[in-house]
Amino acid sequence: MKTAIIVGSSPIYNERTLFHNLIYEVGKPYLVAADGGMSFFIEEDICPDIFLGDMDSCHKEEEARRHFPELK
């Protein structure tokens, strides 16, 4: 069974540590950027497997497309 980590725009206490601990525990999860959560992936320089949303809460759409050209 594949595990997914979904990152949204709502802040979570110590989110970077939590995220990296989850990746360590799970191995290679399926990474989902949900709208404003794309900002987190840009800051961490990690390309999600999929992006869902209309970028209305991520003010970095152009940066995301430059940073991760494989995103459609």
Side-chain angles (χ1 to χ4, degrees):
M1 177 191 300
K2 189 77 170 175
T3 301
I5 297 176
I6 302 169
V7 178
S9 61
S10 295
I12 298 173
Y13 173 74
N14 216 2
E15 63 191 13
R16 282 169 175 66
T17 301
L18 174 62
F19 180 81
H20 289 287
N21 285 344
L22 283 171
I23 294 231
Y24 176 76
E25 299 233 351
V26 172
K28 175 60 177 124
Y30 192 74
L31 300 175
V32 180
D35 211 15
M38 178 55 84
S39 297
F40 177 84
F41 286 100
I42 291 170
E43 291 166 11
E44 294 298 303
D45 196 30
I46 298 171
C47 185
D49 294 299
I50 191 168
F51 168 77
L52 303 172
D54 59 6
M55 288 276 196
D56 67 340
S57 58
C58 178
H59 306 290
K60 300 181 177 185
E61 179 176 6
E62 288 183 27
E63 184 178 350
R65 297 198 187 282
R66 279 194 314 273
H67 201 70
F68 305 118
E70 58 273 25
L71 290 176
K72 306 259 186 285

